[in-house]
Amino acid sequence: MIEAIIKRRSHRSFTDRKIEPEKLNEVLKAAMFAPTAKDRRPVEFIVVQDRDALARLSKMTPYSGFAKSAPAVVVICYDTQKGRRFREDCSISAAHIYLEATNQGLGTCFVQVADAEFGPELKGAVSLPGPEELIKKDLGIPERFRLQCMMPLGYPARGLPPHDECEFDRSRIHREKF
């Protein structure tokens, strides 16, 4: 496991290579096995691969522009009727996506949706309060759901170096008290 953690990087550019269904399935399986508060399993996933939909998603926030080059985007959704720990549960699922994507030779990046502002192309052009509401409308997501993030997924266009052992900083570890 530590190998995937050390290799995990945030990738924002991808090749045109399609993701094999088996690899995508393993990434989604890892996300679904993520723990949730009280084991209520309120997290659901939308896999978007349609090029037009990816182009629309890429305009949603100031940080999502690279999503249009991804072969897929996983939108992490949260059913508020099943749970109350929206940010925590979704973020753990996103971390599992990061790690299994790395394990499968894929790359991804956490793109914030909740509480994000619109991207430059949409700012002032949309009457909805923010990207979360617009994505829900665009993808037909029921009102009771919240959206934490999108995870563009694909084969990295360029390799990024793994984390270095020098990043392990013992001075940031405290025992018993700060």
Side-chain angles (χ1 to χ4, degrees), residues 57 60-64 73-77 86-87 109-118 129-136 139 141 146-152:
L57 289 175
M60 294 293 175
T61 79
Y63 324 105
S64 59
V73 169
V74 177
V75 180
I76 300 181
C77 308
F86 159 62
R87 294 188 194 290
C109 184
F110 187 106
V111 177
Q112 183 71 24
V113 171
D115 304 322
E117 60 207 38
F118 281 116
E132 184 174 359
E133 292 77 13
L134 187 56
I135 294 169
K136 284 167 64 171
L139 299 180
I141 301 168
R146 293 286 320 266
L147 308 181
Q148 174 64 28
C149 65
M150 301 184 284
M151 304 288 291

Side-chain angles (χ1 to χ4, degrees), residues 11 28 49 62 66 72 114 160:
H11 293 276
L28 294 167
Q49 294 180 296
F66 67 95
L160 296 174

Side-chain angles (χ1 to χ4, degrees), residues 153-165:
L153 190 65
Y155 284 94
R158 60 186 175 85
L160 296 174
H163 289 281
D164 191 282
E165 199 59 39

